[in-house]
Amino acid sequence: MSSRSTDIIFLLGAGASVDADIPMSAAMIGQIEDLMKKHEDWTPFTELYNHVKTAIHYSSGLKGVFGDRVPYNIETLVNTLYELERNEEHPLYPFIASWNSRFVALAQSDFAEIRKFRRLILRELKRWMSPDDTSKGDYYKGFATLQKDLNFPLHVFSLNYDRCVERVADRDFNVETGFDGHGPDNLWDWERFEQGEGGPDELPQMYLYKIHGSINWKRNDGKNLYCVEQTENVAHDAMEIIFGRDFKLEAADPYLFYAYQFRRCTLSAKLIVSIGYSFADDHINKMIIQGLNRDESRRLMVVSYCPDKEACIKKRAEVSGILGVDKDHVIVAEGTAKTFFEKKDLGQYLRESIPQPNDSPF
């Protein structure tokens, strides 16, 4: 991996795909609550949902976190349901004298209702990740324009499950995802990300690392990973995805490899460009912090919609506070993902955002 190719790296969060008509995780909660009011498949879970949501807010309240500050979104909800669903298999089960009686009544025998509710949410999640009009994500093609300007492979780390970035690929823009093609004969291979370090004849224009999985990934009987072009045959309750807020290292690829690559790139990057990421994942944050603290000239660019200058200043202070880094490390680029990728002379803008060392002749 040449050092120049990781001078500028990209981190995509859920907000990056909002303009592509894919809702953010917090907005998904609102849609679930609306479904429970209107749809017969969802209304039976209303009381169970209210109980779980109240418990999550209660837990945050014990830590002095209230209201909008409670980290409550689709990831929090599904993570909680998953842990509850484990019931007797959970390592903490022997230490729990008794479950809340109302919760047991709502969850029913063997917590079957928990399982049904979680799978219903996953079914809806898959639909959210597959918008009818994929052309709304065409702004991601700004990656192709940017790569031609920078003239080195882009390293893009995505926390999203959607396929917006992959759709940028065409005959002139190769996106390396670890697969040689679709189907079970083309298994994921980490070495595809390492090819070219010795000077290949042809490098991909982008390396894409989907840190939390993808809606078009499947496992064969041997647990080997492959991808499919059509997601209809990917069962919603067997999607190869990880919910990220409480993400822990999976002792399996590709997740372990992608985490290693992210750490490797953040330690060498001069500029980390964060688009649509909420800084709610401690595991990801720690690696960003390590990279920034490695050199005072390192910068984190946060693409965020700010209606005025004061909002940009507030956002900068908020991010630096969450990460515990000096505000000088943080740059706020005002706008959405769409306006960012459509920005004129984006490559030059990014290059100028990297401070020159004191001994630079330029």
Side-chain angles (χ1 to χ4, degrees):
M1 182 186 298
S2 65
S3 59
R4 187 173 177 233
S5 73
T6 56
D7 279 356
I8 303 173
I9 66 171
F10 299 84
L11 174 64
L12 304 179
S17 293
V18 169
D19 289 324
D21 209 21
I22 297 174
M24 291 184 64
S25 56
M28 292 178 186
I29 288 293
Q31 294 195 32
I32 286 175
E33 293 178 350
D34 191 53
L35 284 167
M36 284 189 291
K37 296 175 183 177
K38 302 177 180 178
H39 203 287
E40 60 182 10
D41 287 349
W42 291 81
T43 50
F45 298 101
T46 302
E47 290 187 81
L48 175 61
Y49 170 79
N50 290 339
H51 188 92
V52 172
K53 179 180 179 180
T54 300
I56 292 171
H57 277 259
Y58 174 74
S59 176
S60 292
L62 294 176
K63 303 171 188 174
V65 179
F66 303 96
D68 293 339
R69 294 173 54 218
V70 176
Y72 181 67
N73 54 35
I74 192 71
E75 295 177 346
T76 313
L77 176 59
V78 174
N79 276 332
T80 302
L81 293 174
Y82 173 74
E83 294 298 329
L84 291 170
E85 185 182 329
R86 294 173 66 186
N87 196 0
E88 295 181 4
E89 296 179 3
H90 199 289
L92 292 181
Y93 180 82
F95 301 94
I96 300 174
S98 63
W99 291 100
N100 178 289
S101 59
R102 176 169 171 74
F103 171 72
V104 172
L106 293 170
Q108 296 190 11
S109 177
D110 295 328
F111 288 9
E113 292 302 291
I114 295 286
R115 188 176 304 108
K116 291 177 184 177
F117 187 37
R118 186 177 71 88
R119 291 178 179 177
L120 191 63
I121 294 172
L122 291 176
R123 187 186 74 182
E124 198 67 15
L125 176 72
K126 182 181 175 183
R127 188 184 68 80
W128 284 323
M129 294 295 119
S130 306
D132 293 336
D133 185 1
T134 58
S135 68
K136 289 185 178 181
D138 283 351
Y139 58 89
Y140 274 100
K141 293 179 180 178
F143 269 130
T145 304
L146 175 63
Q147 190 277 329
K148 290 178 182 177
D149 186 0
L150 296 178
N151 198 32
F152 55 73
L154 303 180
H155 291 266
V156 178
F157 296 86
S158 177
L159 303 176
N160 301 334
Y161 320 120
D162 63 61
R163 301 174 64 194
C164 291
V165 180
E166 293 96 313
R167 293 193 180 100
V168 176
D170 59 28
R171 291 179 59 185
D172 300 317
F173 192 81
N174 179 18
V175 178
E176 181 56 71
T177 60
F179 304 99
D180 191 33
H182 296 96
D185 293 332
N186 298 291
L187 302 178
W188 181 85
D189 182 2
W190 67 270
E191 290 187 305
R192 296 183 62 84
F193 292 93
E194 300 292 333
Q195 292 174 2
E197 290 196 12
D201 293 332
E202 187 173 346
L203 285 170
Q205 280 70 42
M206 177 192 290
Y207 293 97
L208 174 61
Y209 310 85
K210 301 190 79 171
I211 297 177
H212 288 164
S214 182
I215 61 170
N216 70 321
W217 287 1
K218 296 183 75 172
R219 299 266 183 187
N220 62 18
D221 293 340
K223 302 301 181 182
N224 295 304
L225 188 70
Y226 64 96
C227 72
V228 296
E229 193 166 10
Q230 303 296 328
T231 60
E232 286 81 358
N233 292 328
V234 181
H236 60 271
D237 57 346
M239 290 188 295
E240 190 65 28
I241 59 176
I242 290 177
F243 283 93
R245 194 179 70 85
D246 295 318
F247 172 62
K248 302 294 186 294
L249 274 179
E250 290 276 333
D253 282 337
Y255 306 110
L256 193 62
F257 176 79
Y258 286 166
Y260 165 75
Q261 290 293 89
F262 185 63
R263 180 178 184 275
R264 181 184 182 188
C265 288
T266 52
L267 289 176
S268 63
K270 297 178 181 177
L271 179 67
I272 302 170
V273 182
S274 167
I275 308 171
Y277 173 53
S278 64
F279 297 92
D281 189 323
D282 288 340
H283 181 70
I284 295 296
N285 289 352
K286 287 176 182 177
M287 288 189 276
I288 293 174
I289 293 166
Q290 286 179 343
L292 295 178
N293 288 339
R294 192 176 177 88
D295 188 323
E296 64 179 15
S297 68
R298 304 286 175 85
R299 293 294 181 266
L300 168 67
M301 176 179 287
V302 180
V303 179
S304 177
Y305 173 71
C306 301
D308 51 46
K309 185 177 180 181
E310 288 300 316
C312 285
I313 294 173
K314 184 178 179 180
K315 186 67 178 181
R316 186 185 184 195
E318 175 190 331
V319 173
S320 62
I322 292 173
L323 298 179
V325 299
D326 192 280
K327 285 189 290 186
D328 289 342
H329 280 297
V330 181
I331 303 168
V332 174
E334 194 282 324
T336 65
K338 188 175 188 295
T339 60
F340 177 78
F341 283 120
E342 294 175 349
K343 188 179 184 66
K344 185 179 180 181
D345 299 325
L346 178 57
Q348 184 64 25
Y349 173 68
L350 295 179
R351 284 190 291 265
E352 291 176 350
S353 298
I354 304 174
Q356 294 295 324
N358 294 331
D359 57 353
S360 173
F362 304 103

